[in-house]
Amino acid sequence: MKCVTTVRYQIKVNEELTEQFSPSRGLWQGDLVSPYLFIICAEGLSALLHAAEQDNRISGVKICRAAPAVSHLLFADDSVLLLKSNVEEATCLREVLDIYEECSGQCINVEKSAVMFSPNTPTADRTTVKNALRIQKEDWNEKYLGLPVHVGRSMRRAFAYVKGAIAGKVYGWKEKLIAKTGKEALVTAVAQAIPTFAMSCFDLTKGFCQEISSRIGNYWWSQQDKENTFDNKGAHSVKSAYKLYEELKRQKKNGGQGMSNHAPGNLHSCKDDSWKRIWKLPCPRNVQMFTWRVKHESLALLTNMHKRGLKVESTRCLFCGRADEDGAHLFIKCKAVKEGWRELALEGERIKLEQIPSVHAMLDFLWGVDEKKRMHILTYWWHWWSVRNKLRKGEPLAPTKEIARRTRSAVMEYMQVYINSPKKACLDKWTAPSDEMLKINADGSFAPGEGHAGWGVVARDSAGNIVAAKAGRQDHIQDAFAAEVAALSNAVALAADLGCLRVNFETDSQLLVEAMDFRKPDSSAYAY
């Protein structure tokens, strides 16, 4: 503490400084040195308690016979002191606290302090100990620092508050007002984070963890169950629920998913493995969620909204206006969507899907086609659904060729990112070019939805010295591949400005490298 000095202040008033003065209220709570001073003081208290324990004046508590005794636990500015309930140890602890107060200048707040006894402590001993400590408040806290103080034999009862906290969160969310992706974010970021602290300190039972998973699973799947028990007017009734019950019984009798005794959150109990296939699709989660909604016919199509009793001016297709907008017409039969199928060279698959009556059979058909074709179809549907939603809001319709190009580009990225391809050996460090050559590194940066990209190029000689460097922004960019192309184009322009004839261009885009290699077919979205 001799190394610690008190700060002195001066205040400027009317362009003149006052005399220096020292603060009289001590350190303010957010002072940067405050935590270090507290640690120094806490170390002093800990040393006093250890000395009393070594002199056998305080015995502490052991969790088993061979374990070391624990006399105190320090949590930030909160302390737990452990001792036997007798007047000797209580008097010793009071003496230690008095020494600590005198040396540190800090005082123990007896109003905020409490004594906790074991249930079998006699009343006379409790009174004696409290008088010796000069702390009269007796408390039996159920939780301390967010965790139960007494666990006991029933782990389920001690941590029941965890299930209650999860239920209070998930059942308070308005399910109908949350998108599927938002619902997933709430489950992973909020609901699944609640038991993390308790699980990091206690070994929770497997059955308790399954109950937590089941409760979260109930919330995740409950909205789909509610959608299946609404009548045509969007109202939930006993009749509609009974119809669902009979339908599930029929499915189970015929070998379908039907009813199960397992918890709804246990996905492995489902015999229908379509959810597994959807979740394993090599694509982002929003495309997977879209596919799941297609399977369960829960998209906000005009016909679906009309069946739910929502006011819709017309159920006619927003693109052609010739037929009602249902899933089959919007994604397969509409004149506008057919052009995209032909651009993607999937007209044969479209004709086969057009002859299939149910959406479940359509997805079964898709599971049987080539994975790349399947991803082109599902991604095209997802892009087409996005264009449809923008058209309904009054935004201009994007050209079908542009939608097909976005689909090819997106699928190409999905196949590179999500499919486990053999890892290629890569160099950890930049390698210099040979003598009398320059190496120009080019890279592009693209953020979806912004419509532009950033690029940067740098030229270095055989010694690694930077010869020239440029960076800029390129407008009218629609995907990451176009951003890489723009970066390489500026790299070529830099080489021309430098008058270099022997140049080695380097990029981190494997798709661009393959597109520039004339020995390989161009598989980019811009290929013809």
Side-chain angles (χ1 to χ4, degrees):
M1 295 296 293
K2 293 182 179 179
C3 299
V4 180
T5 58
T6 303
V7 67
R8 299 178 65 83
Y9 294 105
Q10 277 185 305
I11 300 177
K12 180 179 286 188
V13 180
N14 296 330
E15 301 299 329
E16 295 183 2
L17 293 174
T18 64
E19 295 182 0
Q20 293 184 356
F21 62 93
S22 299
S24 59
R25 300 300 298 272
L27 295 175
W28 55 284
Q29 188 173 4
D31 197 295
L32 298 178
V33 77
S34 178
Y36 300 99
L37 294 179
F38 175 79
I39 292 175
I40 295 174
C41 295
E43 285 292 333
L45 176 61
S46 178
L48 291 172
L49 293 171
H50 277 304
E53 187 178 355
Q54 290 177 357
D55 295 340
N56 295 324
R57 294 189 297 160
I58 294 178
S59 57
V61 174
K62 295 183 179 181
I63 60 174
C64 63
R65 293 181 179 180
V70 178
S71 60
H72 59 282
L73 299 172
L74 304 179
F75 303 94
D77 59 345
D78 210 353
S79 304
V80 177
L81 308 180
L82 307 171
L83 65 155
K84 291 184 177 180
S85 56
N86 55 55
V87 66
E88 292 80 9
E89 294 199 10
T91 303
C92 176
L93 177 59
R94 185 65 256 181
E95 293 175 356
V96 169
L97 295 178
D98 290 339
I99 296 173
Y100 173 74
E101 290 180 350
E102 184 179 355
C103 295
S104 66
Q106 295 181 326
C107 295
I108 306 299
N109 191 340
V110 295
E111 298 296 331
K112 293 184 179 180
S113 303
V115 185
M116 186 186 306
F117 296 95
S118 59
N120 58 348
T121 305
T123 304
D125 292 346
R126 297 188 182 195
T127 304
T128 303
V129 170
K130 288 189 292 184
N131 292 334
L133 292 173
R134 299 198 292 272
I135 299 175
Q136 299 301 320
K137 184 179 179 182
E138 184 177 342
D139 197 4
W140 183 272
N141 295 325
E142 294 184 358
K143 288 193 297 183
Y144 179 71
L145 297 179
L147 295 174
V149 176
H150 301 280
V151 176
R153 296 183 178 180
S154 178
M155 187 79 70
R156 188 187 306 272
R157 183 182 304 173
F159 291 94
Y161 73 94
V162 175
K163 293 190 294 183
I166 294 175
K169 287 289 185 181
V170 299
Y171 295 139
W173 295 330
K174 298 292 184 181
E175 298 178 24
K176 288 187 177 180
L177 304 180
I178 302 177
K180 297 290 184 180
T181 51
K183 195 174 181 181
E184 179 195 4
L186 287 174
V187 167
T188 55
V190 180
Q192 292 183 348
I194 291 176
T196 303
F197 180 50
M199 296 175 70
S200 65
C201 301
F202 291 90
D203 187 13
L204 302 183
T205 63
K206 183 178 180 181
F208 185 82
C209 295
Q210 289 177 346
E211 290 182 11
I212 295 176
S213 300
S214 177
R215 182 155 296 188
I216 297 175
N218 282 336
Y219 168 75
W220 176 255
W221 300 109
S222 60
Q223 185 61 31
Q224 183 62 43
D225 296 337
K226 292 177 183 177
E227 291 175 356
N228 290 337
T229 57
F230 283 123
D231 58 20
N232 293 334
K233 295 183 179 180
H236 177 77
S237 63
V238 176
K239 181 180 180 181
S240 57
Y242 178 75
K243 289 174 63 178
L244 174 63
Y245 172 77
E246 292 295 329
E247 177 64 19
L248 291 174
K249 279 179 40 177
R250 183 188 64 79
Q251 291 180 7
K252 185 176 182 180
K253 184 178 180 180
N254 296 335
Q257 176 180 344
M259 296 177 295
S260 174
N261 295 328
H262 296 80
N266 185 6
L267 303 182
H268 296 283
S269 64
C270 300
K271 294 181 180 179
D272 181 8
D273 61 349
S274 58
W275 68 268
K276 296 180 183 178
R277 292 174 175 176
I278 293 174
W279 259 219
K280 290 181 180 180
L281 288 173
C283 60
R285 189 55 55 87
N286 51 2
V287 180
Q288 294 175 350
M289 296 299 301
F290 169 78
T291 307
W292 180 262
R293 295 183 66 188
V294 169
K295 179 187 184 305
H296 287 272
E297 302 182 62
S298 61
L299 292 175
L301 297 165
L302 296 178
T303 53
N304 288 345
M305 296 171 65
H306 179 70
K307 290 178 181 178
R308 296 292 175 86
L310 300 176
K311 293 183 179 180
V312 180
E313 294 182 1
S314 174
T315 58
R316 290 291 178 177
C317 175
L318 299 175
F319 293 95
C320 65
R322 298 180 179 180
D324 290 336
E325 185 194 67
D326 56 10
H329 175 80
L330 178 64
F331 297 115
I332 300 174
K333 300 178 181 179
C334 181
K335 181 180 179 181
V337 79
K338 289 180 180 180
E339 183 180 349
W341 285 89
R342 289 190 289 268
E343 286 288 335
L344 295 171
L346 295 172
E347 180 64 16
E349 284 72 16
R350 189 199 68 80
I351 294 175
K352 294 178 181 178
L353 287 171
E354 190 175 10
Q355 299 172 355
I356 300 176
S358 71
V359 65
H360 301 281
M362 289 182 182
L363 288 179
D364 289 339
F365 169 77
L366 291 181
W367 303 136
V369 302
D370 178 70
E371 184 175 46
K372 196 169 184 179
K373 286 186 177 181
R374 177 166 62 247
M375 288 311 308
H376 273 89
I377 294 173
L378 295 176
T379 306
Y380 177 55
W381 283 357
W382 180 70
H383 279 290
W384 190 256
W385 176 248
S386 301
V387 171
R388 177 263 185 197
N389 292 334
K390 293 179 180 179
L391 181 62
R392 192 181 179 205
K393 293 179 181 179
E395 298 184 20
L397 177 63
T400 307
K401 290 185 177 180
E402 174 63 19
I403 301 173
R405 187 198 62 78
R406 295 178 190 174
T407 300
R408 288 193 297 266
S409 178
V411 172
M412 184 59 60
E413 293 182 16
Y414 299 163
M415 303 302 280
Q416 286 187 345
V417 173
Y418 294 97
I419 293 181
N420 295 326
S421 56
K423 296 183 179 180
K424 298 181 180 180
C426 59
L427 298 176
D428 295 333
K429 296 182 179 180
W430 179 85
T431 57
S434 58
D435 294 338
E436 299 182 356
M437 283 193 68
L438 285 181
K439 174 180 281 190
I440 301 181
N441 293 82
D443 192 19
S445 174
F446 173 76
E450 293 187 358
H452 62 268
W455 57 268
V457 295
V458 57
R460 284 176 282 197
D461 57 17
S462 58
N465 300 319
I466 296 179
V467 178
K470 280 187 176 182
R473 165 175 163 166
Q474 188 77 27
D475 294 326
H476 310 295
I477 299 296
Q478 301 298 329
D479 52 44
F481 178 75
E484 297 290 349
V485 172
L488 184 60
S489 175
N490 283 278
V492 174
L494 178 62
D497 294 340
L498 295 175
C500 300
L501 299 178
R502 301 183 63 191
V503 183
N504 184 2
F505 296 98
E506 190 172 74
T507 176
D508 60 352
S509 174
Q510 183 65 28
L511 186 60
L512 180 58
V513 172
E514 294 177 355
M516 297 295 294
D517 191 346
F518 296 105
R519 296 170 298 179
K520 298 181 180 179
D522 186 0
S523 56
S524 68
Y526 299 88
Y528 288 97

